[in-house]
Amino acid sequence: MQTVEQFFQDYAQAYISAELARFEKLVATPSLLLAGEQKTVLTDRNGLLLTTS
C-alpha cells in the first residue's frame, strides 16, 4: 500500500517533469490543479494535454 507521502512525492515528480502518462495515473477527472496563482480545471485527458504544452 502506498503512503500519502509517497503519493505526493510521485505526484510532484510527475508534475514537475511533465511525464504525462505517469501524471495521468495519479489524477482523477474532473480535477482542479493549483500552482501558485494559476488554476487549471481538468475535465478530461485533453485538458491534461493542454497543461503540458
Side-chain angles (χ1 to χ4, degrees), residues 18-34:
E19 294 178 56
L20 180 59
R22 184 174 169 195
F23 187 72
E24 187 175 22
K25 293 177 184 177
L26 299 168
V27 297
T29 51
S31 289
L32 177 63
L33 302 179
L34 305 173

Side-chain angles (χ1 to χ4, degrees), residues 9-43:
Q9 286 177 353
D10 291 345
Y11 179 96
Q13 209 165 25
Y15 183 83
I16 290 167
S17 62
E19 294 178 56
L20 180 59
R22 184 174 169 195
F23 187 72
E24 187 175 22
K25 293 177 184 177
L26 299 168
V27 297
T29 51
S31 289
L32 177 63
L33 302 179
L34 305 173
E37 296 295 317
Q38 182 179 354
K39 297 174 182 139
T40 304
V41 177
L42 299 177
T43 56

